[in-house]
Amino acid sequence: MSGLSRELSSERQRQSRFEQGDDVVVMKFGGTSVEDAAAIRRVIGIVQSRLKAHPVVVVSALARVTDQLLEAGTAAANGHLGAALATVRGIYVRHEQLADALVDGSAYSALDGELRGEFRELESLLLRLEASRQLDAQSRDHLLGFGECFSSRLIKEALCQAGIRAAHLDARACIVTDARHGQASPVWEVTEQRLQQAVGPLLQSGAAAVLGGFIASTGDGVPTTLGRGGSDFTAAIVGAALGAARVEIWTDVDGIMTTDPKLCSDARVIRKMSFDEAAELAHFGAKVLHPATLAPAMRENIPVYVLNSRRPERDGTEIAARARPGAKTGNSVSAITAKRNVAAVEIQSARVNSELLHTVYAVFDRHACAVDVMATSQGCISLLVDSASALPAIAAELRGVAEVRWENHQALVCLVGENIRRQPEVASRAFAAVSDMDVRVVCQGASDRTISFLVEESKVEESVRRLHGIFFPQPQPVRDWGGISSAYCQAG
Ligand code: ADP
Ligand code: ASP
Ligand code: MG
């Protein structure tokens, strides 16, 4: 079967599961896309433009709310109940003001009642945290999920007020996960079934479905979350369960860019990317997509679009099975990312063998400490972890078997691109650019698509800027040199 016919046949298989032949579009709006009344009005306009495509709207908490909830929970658990309640009060007032600006009449009263009920529940959770003096992973998930509960109710009412038929769905009743609090994974069969049962009839009745991203619950109904930034993942889970025609991630940048525009103002939008490239980018720290987002979309071959809710007319980035045109011929580096807060761990032992590797893995796993990159050599296992918080306990557990040392405040800088590893000149140009920066080579990509290395966190911006300048040079300005255009003159 040719590549094209394979694509066409998987296209045919991917039919919407609520009614054969009908499209479904899943649209996820991040925190900044719903941060104030103007942003929510833009969301209403964007949803309105997709009404024929049966939209399912997934929303994050309003910008900064999840961090504020965490702050309130930490304050309560440390005995500062007054400060915690004041923070939550601020969140309440912000939502009330938005409800007031966007919704009126009896719909306002109903929404106000719902929000008040949710805030009372949140306040009693803070009282319990103050009494117990601890914020464990389970309570943390319960606490952080309130942001999406509030925003999804508010946005559903705002859509209805604008004349869009919309219904609210409780994401915690539809998305069922394991009990890995803080980083839960969906139990697919149940989740798929529940989403189809809950969303299908709504869409068939012509209503848009609105649900909070990031939040879920275990089979027993205990609240969980999908990890920070997890609303992107919710959108992909919903898309895969419903056999959506597309998943749209609406955010505050024009698409996936050649690097984080906050690190380098020269970053440019990438028009098309393959699932694999985008998944590597997300895995290696590009915040624009939660790392787990692309797996369900890839499995069901659903294209994912990253779009700017402030400039909806722009094309954004399309992520699909096919690689970007020219990926194999042109600049093989498609983007540069940086993952901060990495700790580099060295485990030394007289005997590094499979038994030791097994023990080390088991101990890291028991402490829910995800290992990123791993290498072994005579007497030493080197690995990277995203957080150093569990390392003291891990070192204590391995005492007598191996000695564990680590360095904090490191960052992993990564070049991503199809077949990048098969082009040795890419690595040599990259390392030449940062050779004076105490760079440690970590690996030339477990896949063909990445080359990554470790730098001190303080050097991240400088190294990303230098690399970006090399692999994505700005076009030279055309000047008149007495008849010879400078476009023909190479620098140096
Ligand atoms: P949202 O609230 O919409 O989920 P996020 O803040 O999670 O938005 O993600 C968008 C941010 O991701 C951008 O503002 C940008 O700073 C950051 N980012 C990091 N790497 C990239 C990249 N390669 N392309 C685009 N944005 C990136
Ligand atoms: N509100 C959650 C967070 O801040 C989830 C998300 O924004 O996707 O992490
Ligand atoms: Mg995000």
Side-chain angles (χ1 to χ4, degrees), residues 461-477:
E461 290 194 12
E462 176 65 18
S463 43
V464 167
R465 265 192 227 123
R466 284 195 202 173
L467 291 167
H468 198 270
I470 300 250
F471 291 103
F472 303 97
Q474 286 292 90
Q476 296 285 317

Side-chain angles (χ1 to χ4, degrees), residues 9 20 50 61 72 105-106 112-113 122 131 157 232 246 261 282 319 367 373 382 415 431 446 458 461 470 491:
S9 89
Q20 299 244 325
R50 302 285 197 273
S106 59
D112 181 49
L122 170 56
E157 280 311 333
D232 303 331
R246 52 198 272 144
I319 308 166
H367 290 271
V373 176
S382 310
L415 304 173
F431 293 124
S458 59
E461 290 194 12
I470 300 250

Side-chain angles (χ1 to χ4, degrees), residues 113-123 146 149-150 153 168 172:
E114 283 173 6
L115 290 176
R116 275 171 198 270
E118 298 259 17
F119 273 95
R120 270 197 296 275
E121 202 193 313
L122 170 56
E123 282 178 353
F146 276 98
C149 297
F150 304 146
R153 290 191 185 282
H168 181 261
R172 283 179 174 153

Side-chain angles (χ1 to χ4, degrees), residues 60-61 66 148 214 228-231:
S60 293
T66 313
E148 273 70 12
F214 175 58
R228 293 302 304 268
S231 300

Side-chain angles (χ1 to χ4, degrees), residues 121 125 128 137-146 172 181 223-225:
E121 202 193 313
L125 174 60
R128 290 201 299 279
Q138 186 172 322
S139 318
R140 193 173 182 269
D141 271 356
H142 186 187
L143 173 75
L144 296 197
F146 276 98
R172 283 179 174 153
H181 289 283
T224 55
T225 63

Side-chain angles (χ1 to χ4, degrees), residues 185-217:
S185 300
V187 180
W188 280 105
E189 267 177 30
V190 197
T191 299
E192 197 170 34
Q193 200 180 29
R194 290 203 190 174
L195 278 168
Q196 285 170 10
Q197 276 167 3
V199 185
L202 273 183
L203 297 184
Q204 251 155 8
S205 75
V210 182
L211 68 157
F214 175 58
I215 54 176
S217 70

Side-chain angles (χ1 to χ4, degrees), residues 415 423-435 444 451 470-471:
L415 304 173
Q423 298 167 46
E425 73 281 4
V426 173
S428 53
R429 286 172 74 200
F431 293 124
V434 292
S435 58
Q444 263 241 40
I451 296 172
I470 300 250
F471 291 103

